[in-house]
Amino acid sequence: MSDTSTPSAVPSGVQSPSTAPADPAAALLQQPGCTPPVDPAPFQSFLAFDYGRKRTGVATGNRMLGRASPGKSIVAAGDERFAHIAALIREWQPQALVIGVPFHPDGAPHENTRRALSFGRQLALRFRLPVYTVDERYSTTEALAHGARDADAASACIILEQFLHGLS
């Protein structure tokens, strides 16, 4: 006869129902300035986004080279935007996603901070991939200063390279 008072062991890496987050996105979405819920150490390929209400910049990159390449920005909103992202995920097969999160120069959040985090939450829920956040203050300004034709994609590239450099 087995002892039913002994709790069963939970496999490593699997959360028991009592410790699983109430918000499924919380298990995949890094909050700005916080330790990510999923360690990025084993991941090699990433897809990054510079979220905007009308345009979303896209970049791909990998850890081995520590470099990112701009893609073509997505000019769509709502479900159409996510259809484009789904196609990019199928094409590039990233292991994780990275988003830029804007803040005021003094570090205070603003309305676009909330929008970018909402976008990151939707990415986590729809695609079930880890989503990492990067402070994107001045990324578009930097992209424009370097003469970018597609400032949003160049900004996504800057965001991803900043993330990749932080991993080393």
Side-chain angles (χ1 to χ4, degrees), residues 129-153:
L129 289 169
V131 178
Y132 300 98
T133 58
V134 171
D135 182 341
E136 69 148 316
R137 275 180 277 187
Y138 307 114
S139 63
T140 302
T141 303
E142 183 180 341
L144 291 170
H146 287 97
R149 289 184 184 171
D150 182 342
D152 298 306

Side-chain angles (χ1 to χ4, degrees), residues 7-168:
S8 62
V10 176
S12 176
V14 175
Q15 295 180 329
S16 70
S18 62
T19 60
D23 176 8
L28 295 169
L29 175 63
Q30 176 190 17
Q31 293 301 311
C34 296
T35 301
V38 178
D39 182 4
F43 302 136
Q44 295 297 315
S45 62
F46 300 89
L47 192 58
F49 301 99
D50 178 26
Y51 172 78
R53 292 175 81 182
K54 295 178 182 175
R55 296 174 46 89
T56 300
V58 177
T60 60
N62 73 63
R63 182 187 199 129
M64 186 171 74
L65 297 176
R67 300 285 317 257
S69 299
K72 184 177 180 214
S73 288
I74 298 168
V75 183
D79 287 338
E80 185 181 349
R81 177 193 333 255
F82 287 104
H84 286 281
I85 292 171
L88 290 168
I89 289 173
R90 281 191 304 275
E91 178 182 354
W92 291 98
Q93 298 291 305
Q95 294 170 297
L97 308 175
V98 178
I99 61 167
V101 179
F103 292 93
H104 284 295
D106 66 359
H110 51 75
E111 185 60 25
N112 286 339
T113 307
R114 185 193 62 73
R115 287 185 183 119
L117 289 172
S118 176
F119 173 68
R121 177 179 160 67
Q122 290 175 59
L123 289 172
L125 291 172
R126 287 176 185 245
F127 302 110
R128 301 286 184 215
L129 289 169
V131 178
Y132 300 98
T133 58
V134 171
D135 182 341
E136 69 148 316
R137 275 180 277 187
Y138 307 114
S139 63
T140 302
T141 303
E142 183 180 341
L144 291 170
H146 287 97
R149 289 184 184 171
D150 182 342
D152 298 306
S155 181
C157 195
I158 291 166
I159 290 163
L160 184 51
E161 286 188 347
Q162 184 179 340
F163 174 79
L164 292 169
H165 293 148
L167 294 177
S168 50

